[in-house]
């Protein structure tokens, strides 16, 4: 039987940690809450003392926020599920970094899904730490940073610039990325997951099997059922149901 997941809850609002504690006990019995902290300072101390498997971390807190707390911990050898009320930039950064987050008030099903993705293996912790490092970099320098997406592979993770992606192609339960330098990367994620990560940017799902970067579309053709030509010369099919949406985006 798998060991339970040891968790620390950090939020400066006691009613939030109390509510999260109830939700976890009712819906995620595999989670053992080993500490509840109502300040970042207390949370920092408990993380160092108890070495949790996962930290549920509020972003906006006095003295120091959740991102600043993580910058004081290196290496990060635990999972993090961020809790946020409104920070839209942070939500965008979480998506492209494939980092779990929960919006307040916390939805039960999203909580269950996030907990279900927690992995305790050393390799997974290393990958998560790399994702968090890139996330903190983009959060700290949002203007200068060239946003990147995390692409996990068997032995690690690739961080790929968003604007280097020409298009993505579904391949069963995998997704293939076609990049501006002519290389391809295969990721063990369905296209729907990738669509969610790329949603904040100039990408459009134009077919059941394709997402394209609108910045790299060269031309649209009505022949052969409809297709777009991409900057690398590839022709990508358009489904009938997506054609009107694509045309409107191209016009705008």
């Amino acid at each position: 039987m798998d060991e339970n997941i040891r968790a620390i809850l950090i939020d400066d609002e006691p009613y939030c940690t109390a509510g999260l504690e109830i939700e976890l006990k009712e819906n995620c019995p595999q989670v053992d809450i080993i500490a509840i902290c109502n300040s970042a300072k207390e949370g920092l101390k408990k993380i160092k003392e108890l070495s949790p498997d996962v930290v549920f971390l509020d972003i906006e807190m006095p003295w120091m926020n959740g991102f600043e707390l993580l910058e004081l911990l290196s290496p990060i050898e635990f999972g993090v599920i961020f809790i946020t009320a409104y920070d839209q930039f942070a939500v965008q950064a979480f998506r492209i970094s494939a980092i779990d987050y929960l919006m307040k008030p916390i939805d039960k099903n999203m909580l269950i899904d996030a907990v279900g993705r927690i992995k305790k293996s050393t390799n997974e912790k290393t990958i998560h730490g790399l994702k968090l490092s890139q996330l903190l970099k983009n959060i700290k320098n949002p203007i200068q940073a060239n946003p990147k997406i995390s692409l996990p592979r068997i032995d690690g993770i690739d961080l790929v610039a968003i604007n280097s992606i020409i298009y993505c192609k579904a391949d069963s339960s995998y997704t293939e990325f076609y990049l501006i330098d002519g290389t391809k990367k295969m990721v063990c994620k369905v296209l729907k997951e990738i669509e969610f990560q790329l949603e904040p940017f100039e990408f459009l799902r134009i077919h059941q099997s394709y997402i394209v970067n609108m910045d790299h579309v060269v031309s649209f053709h009505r022949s052969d059922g409809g297709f777009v030509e991409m900057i690398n010369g590839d022709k990508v099919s358009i489904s009938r149901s997506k054609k009107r949406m694509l045309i409107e985006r191209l016009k705008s």
Side-chain angles (χ1 to χ4, degrees):
M1 180 178 289
D2 292 339
E3 294 181 5
N4 279 7
I5 298 165
R6 301 167 66 255
I8 292 178
L9 317 186
I10 305 176
D11 194 314
D12 65 296
E13 298 174 320
Y15 74 90
C16 289
T17 49
L20 179 56
E21 180 183 19
I22 291 170
E23 291 288 346
L24 285 168
K25 287 182 176 179
E26 289 183 353
N27 302 295
C28 305
Q30 71 273 42
V31 175
D32 285 337
I33 299 171
I34 58 175
I36 296 177
C37 307
N38 293 125
S39 74
K41 187 174 183 179
E42 181 187 4
L44 184 61
K45 179 182 177 183
K46 288 297 183 183
I47 289 172
K48 290 180 177 179
E49 285 181 0
L50 301 175
S51 300
D53 296 315
V54 65
V55 173
F56 291 83
L57 182 61
D58 185 29
I59 296 175
E60 293 299 327
M61 294 183 287
W63 189 63
M64 65 176 161
N65 64 35
F67 300 128
E68 292 167 336
L69 182 155
L70 289 177
E71 287 182 329
L72 297 177
L73 295 163
S74 182
I76 300 172
E77 297 181 332
F78 51 86
V80 178
I81 297 177
F82 287 98
I83 311 292
T84 182
Y86 54 85
D87 194 326
Q88 186 56 44
F89 174 75
V91 168
Q92 175 177 308
F94 298 151
R95 287 186 179 184
I96 63 173
S97 303
I99 296 291
D100 276 314
Y101 69 95
L102 298 169
M103 296 291 292
K104 295 180 180 179
I106 292 173
D107 178 82
K108 178 183 74 173
N109 292 325
M110 292 188 70
L111 175 63
I112 293 170
D113 288 345
V115 169
R117 283 191 290 271
I118 296 171
K119 302 291 191 300
K120 296 176 65 176
S121 70
T122 300
N123 187 50
E124 287 290 342
K125 286 180 180 179
T126 301
I127 291 174
H128 190 77
L130 289 170
K131 291 179 182 179
L132 283 170
S133 296
Q134 185 61 44
L135 170 69
L136 294 175
K137 180 180 177 182
N138 286 346
I139 289 288
K140 193 173 183 180
N141 303 295
I143 296 175
Q144 296 83 2
N146 178 14
K148 296 182 179 181
I149 186 172
S150 298
L151 304 183
R153 46 185 167 80
I154 294 174
D155 60 343
I157 184 170
D158 291 320
L159 297 170
V160 173
I162 295 293
N163 62 12
S164 72
I165 302 168
I166 301 176
Y167 67 95
C168 306
K169 179 183 178 182
D171 185 359
S172 186
S173 58
Y174 293 82
T175 297
E176 192 168 23
F177 283 71
Y178 289 73
L179 305 180
I180 200 76
D181 64 1
T183 62
K184 302 175 187 178
K185 293 187 181 296
M186 185 74 79
V187 178
C188 186
K189 284 188 175 183
V190 296
L191 196 63
K192 184 66 178 176
E193 291 182 73
I194 302 301
E195 182 183 13
F196 180 75
Q197 287 184 260
L198 295 176
E199 185 180 16
F201 302 95
E202 290 298 316
F203 285 79
L204 185 65
R205 182 87 174 257
I206 63 170
H207 189 278
Q208 183 178 355
S209 300
Y210 295 105
I211 298 171
V212 299
N213 185 340
M214 295 300 291
D215 288 338
H216 293 323
V217 173
V218 173
S219 58
F220 162 67
H221 301 263
R222 297 183 185 276
S223 58
D224 298 326
F227 66 90
V228 290
E229 184 176 349
M230 306 304 295
I231 196 169
N232 63 346
D234 286 358
K235 297 177 180 179
V236 179
S237 299
I238 309 163
S239 67
R240 183 177 300 177
S241 62
K242 301 289 186 179
K243 195 172 296 185
R244 181 183 295 274
M245 183 190 306
L246 172 67
I247 293 172
E248 291 300 319
R249 284 284 293 273
L250 290 173
K251 286 180 179 178
S252 64

